[in-house]
Amino acid sequence: MAYAGSPDMERLVLDQPLEVPVLDGNLVRLEPLSSCHAQDLRMAAEEHRGEYRYTYVPRAHQVDEYISAQLGRAGEGKMAPFAQIRKSDSRAVGCTAFWDPRRWPGRSDLCAIEIGWTWLSASAQRTGINLESKLMLMRHAFEVLGVVRVDLKTDARNQRSRTAIEALGAQFEGVLRNWSPSHAPGEEGLLRDSAMFSVTDADWPDVEATLRRRLADRGCRSPVR
């Protein structure tokens, strides 16, 4: 297995930001994150927060700083952050991102990327928004960016998140100890164990079919290609 930072892949720092267009679905529209989303995100972040124990979600007073930090990472070529816009009311209800792009050794083209930094307001959870968002992001990663691997990871203790990632069709690859900064209360400055998952280009057709079927079971049309 080759994870970010391994000698088999090279971290990619682009001369220019990783450009990703608006990704438009039936339930959610993923727009490049900007300060115009701040007010909606302040409200979204202060809905019921009981399920954010292992996930970093800014408080309302931290949203401007959060957006600035994400845009800083984007400017360094490390990330393409999105606001998740619920189409039923055109409100930003969370965020997600492409993160940690890696390239083939000695080449400029991408071989792998992570989908992460994902959070949704309580009212947007279990609505199909996350399913459609992941479908659009993976489709863009495999079919436009041309990667052969998409990573997803979560705090190893976050069983709800692990179950949700597995339900996408991602393959569990193990737990890397002391791998990522912890977001659990009282663990500031500490590292967490991370449960690692992936979808490869060989997996993608089956994963895409699974996500489309799950959306159809909810009565949702799949997003237009």
Side-chain angles (χ1 to χ4, degrees):
M1 293 180 288
Y3 296 110
S6 79
D8 301 313
M9 295 182 181
E10 295 180 5
R11 271 200 171 92
L12 181 61
V13 178
L14 301 172
D15 293 332
Q16 304 206 359
L18 179 64
E19 297 288 350
V20 179
V22 171
L23 302 178
D24 198 16
N26 295 299
L27 300 175
V28 62
R29 183 173 62 254
L30 302 181
E31 297 181 355
L33 183 65
S34 75
S35 58
C36 72
H37 300 116
Q39 185 55 41
D40 281 353
L41 292 176
R42 289 188 193 100
M43 297 193 328
E46 292 300 332
E47 290 186 22
H48 178 64
R49 295 179 60 91
E51 295 183 348
Y52 296 153
R53 180 178 178 188
Y54 299 114
T55 303
Y56 178 66
V57 178
R59 301 303 304 236
H61 69 276
Q62 298 170 320
V63 164
D64 288 341
E65 181 181 356
Y66 170 85
I67 292 174
S68 178
Q70 297 294 75
L71 295 181
R73 295 180 182 102
E76 294 171 354
K78 298 176 179 178
M79 169 185 283
F82 299 93
Q84 302 198 69
I85 311 300
R86 181 169 53 200
K87 295 191 71 172
S88 62
D89 59 7
S90 297
R91 301 189 74 90
V93 291
C95 293
T96 191
F98 282 130
W99 167 243
D100 194 20
R102 278 110 62 209
R103 62 186 175 190
W104 298 101
R107 291 160 50 178
S108 61
D109 51 324
L110 293 178
C111 63
I113 202 163
E114 180 176 333
I115 296 173
W117 297 86
T118 301
W119 63 272
L120 284 168
S121 67
S123 63
Q125 295 174 24
R126 304 178 185 88
T127 63
I129 285 176
N130 184 57
L131 281 177
E132 190 176 59
S133 172
K134 292 296 193 295
L135 173 60
M136 293 191 295
L137 288 168
M138 284 196 234
R139 189 172 66 196
H140 190 84
F142 287 115
E143 299 180 12
V144 179
L145 298 179
V147 303
V148 298
R149 173 187 172 92
V150 168
D151 304 328
L152 303 104
K153 67 176 185 284
T154 189
D155 191 306
R157 299 166 293 184
N158 191 344
Q159 190 57 53
R160 178 173 172 268
S161 179
R162 291 176 64 163
T163 299
I165 293 172
E166 287 180 336
L168 298 173
Q171 298 297 305
F172 175 60
E173 296 183 324
V175 173
L176 297 183
R177 297 180 297 166
N178 289 349
W179 186 252
S180 308
S182 175
H183 300 304
E187 296 184 3
E188 293 78 8
L190 300 179
L191 295 175
R192 74 182 193 197
D193 295 347
S194 289
M196 309 295 292
F197 298 82
S198 72
V199 177
T200 68
D201 56 340
D203 302 329
W204 169 234
D206 288 341
V207 170
E208 181 183 25
T210 295
L211 294 175
R212 288 183 178 278
R213 183 173 61 252
R214 289 180 64 192
L215 285 168
D217 288 346
R218 288 177 167 270
C220 304
R221 291 180 295 114
S222 295
V224 177
R225 286 182 174 274

